[in-house]
Each structure stands twice: as C-alpha cells, then as structure tokens.
C-alpha cells in the first residue's frame, strides 16, 4: 500500500509570472515560440539561435530575460504545469471534487489524446532528454508528477475510494501509458484503454 505524500510545493523561478498572467513584448514571444518548438520537436534539437530568429528578438534580449537555454526550459515546463493546475482547479470548482471531477478530468485528457497536434506528455518528453536525475529540469518534472499524484489522491479520497493512494498511483501510470500509446501508436485504442482502466478504479 502506498503512503500518501504531502502536497509538493511546485517551485517557480524568482519573478516568473503565472501562465495566466499577461507577459508583454519580447519575453512573451520567446516563451510562445519555445512552448511550440519544444513540444513539437524536442528540447535538445531546438537551439538558441533558432529560438531567437523565430521569436524576432535579439540575442542580447534573449539572454537578458533568460540567461541560458536551461532557464527557458524550466520556464516552459513551469508554464505547462500552471496551465494543468489551473485546468484541474477549474474542474474541481465546477464539479465539486471527487468522482465527478475525476470523470471530467479524464474526458479532457481523452480529448487531448485524440487531437492531431498531440505529441505525448511534455514532461515525459523532456525527461527523456535529460538523463541526469539531479538536473533542475528533472527536479521540476518530479515536482510536477508529485503534484499530479497528490491531486489524484485527494480526488479519490473525496470519491470515497478505500485505497486512494494506490488508486492514484494506478491512474498516473495509466495516464503515462495512454499518452505514450496515443502518440506512438493508436490514439483511439489508447484512449479506450485509459477509459477502461479509470472506470475500474472508480468502481472500486
């Protein structure tokens, strides 16, 4: 049986605005460009010169705002985390938590798996490019996953599941598999398998 962990405090870089805050000018263009290229093509393959060119900023402006590419990667992942956290908060507010929120969340995930632009989990993709488990990027990914597990535990508890920690672990693993399966294989089959796995957990 899994021991529930306390809610992780997801770290943000000093001064970094939330994903839902307006970010003006050149900085916003770099973040938007990085978000698109890093997700579509990968982190390592996209160089600083290309980010600068496609963002229409100068090299000096890029380094003024970010200092190094790894800082931008952390910004990219933090923005993805903020969007997912805001999405889950909105669902909890709308559905009252528990089973209804879990079901609504799963429907959103399934819809995402079936989109043409889906390229897998941004966090899993980034993790595959940073082999050092102590690298700040890997630590940011770990914090995101701890946050996701904590939220799933909370929702299963509210749904009255007898073993919410185990159920959360099973669902996170099912989400991982569905995202890989949808990108690398048959998205429809992956989405159906995720629904079946989640349904069994919710009926426990």
């Amino acid at each position: 049986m899994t021991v529930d962990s306390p809610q992780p405090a997801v770290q943000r870089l000093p001064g970094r605005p939330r994903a839902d805050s307006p970010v003006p000018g050149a900085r916003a263009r770099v973040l938007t460009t990085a978000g698109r290229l890093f997700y579509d093509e990968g982190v390592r393959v996209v160089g600083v010169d290309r980010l600068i060119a496609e963002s229409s900023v100068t090299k000096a402006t890029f380094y003024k705002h970010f200092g190094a590419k790894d800082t931008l990667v952390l910004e990219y992942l933090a923005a993805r985390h903020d969007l997912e956290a805001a999405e889950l908060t909105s669902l909890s507010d709308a559905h009252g938590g528990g089973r209804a929120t879990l079901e609504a969340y799963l429907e959103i995930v399934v819809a995402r798996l079936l989109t043409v632009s889906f390229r897998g989990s941004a966090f899993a993709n980034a993790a595959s490019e940073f082999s050092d488990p102590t690298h700040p990027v890997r630590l940011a990914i770990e914090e995101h996953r701890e946050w996701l597990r904590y939220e799933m535990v909370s929702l299963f508890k509210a749904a009255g599941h007898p073993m919410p920690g185990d159920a959360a672990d099973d669902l996170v693993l099912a989400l991982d598999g569905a995202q890989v399966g949808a990108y690398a294989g048959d998205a429809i089959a992956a989405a159906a398998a995720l629904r079946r796995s989640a349904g069994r957990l919710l009926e426990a």
Side-chain angles (χ1 to χ4, degrees):
M1 181 173 179
T2 307
V3 178
D4 297 344
S5 57
Q7 181 177 17
V10 175
Q11 299 299 312
R12 296 188 177 88
L13 298 174
R16 195 189 73 78
R18 294 182 58 86
D20 54 1
S21 300
V23 186
R27 189 174 190 279
R29 293 200 302 277
V30 175
L31 287 169
T32 299
T33 301
R36 172 175 54 83
L37 293 178
F38 287 165
Y39 184 68
D40 287 350
E41 300 181 24
V43 171
R44 297 291 195 190
V45 73
V46 178
V48 169
D49 288 344
R50 184 177 176 196
L51 288 165
I52 289 169
E54 296 203 20
S55 303
S56 300
V57 300
T58 65
K59 185 170 290 188
T61 297
F62 177 90
Y63 285 107
K64 172 187 174 183
H65 285 294
F66 301 103
K69 182 182 172 183
D70 280 358
T71 303
L72 180 58
V73 176
L74 289 170
E75 295 268 6
Y76 156 68
L77 293 174
R80 300 286 299 212
H81 169 82
D82 284 350
L83 288 171
E84 289 190 25
E87 178 180 79
L88 194 53
T89 296
S90 177
L91 289 173
S92 292
D93 291 344
H95 298 279
R99 178 172 182 145
T101 299
L102 278 167
E103 290 175 338
Y105 171 70
L106 287 163
E107 286 308 306
I108 286 178
V109 172
V110 164
R112 192 172 293 139
L113 298 179
L114 297 174
T115 60
V116 175
S117 60
F118 184 71
R119 296 290 181 271
S121 163
F123 297 93
N125 293 347
S128 71
E129 298 191 67
F130 290 83
S131 59
D132 179 3
T134 67
H135 191 285
V137 168
R138 288 289 297 273
L139 296 178
I141 293 165
E142 182 180 349
E143 287 184 354
H144 170 77
R145 291 180 64 81
E146 287 175 356
W147 164 83
L148 179 61
R149 181 184 181 276
Y150 174 88
E151 294 296 331
M152 295 301 103
V153 170
S154 297
L155 290 172
F156 275 112
K157 280 182 178 177
H161 196 285
M163 300 176 70
D166 287 359
D169 286 341
D170 290 348
L171 182 57
V172 170
L173 185 61
L175 290 167
D176 287 341
Q179 290 178 105
V180 172
Y183 178 41
D186 186 333
I188 294 175
L194 176 60
R195 278 200 174 106
R196 289 194 299 272
S197 297
R200 287 192 289 267
L201 290 170
L202 289 169
E203 292 302 325

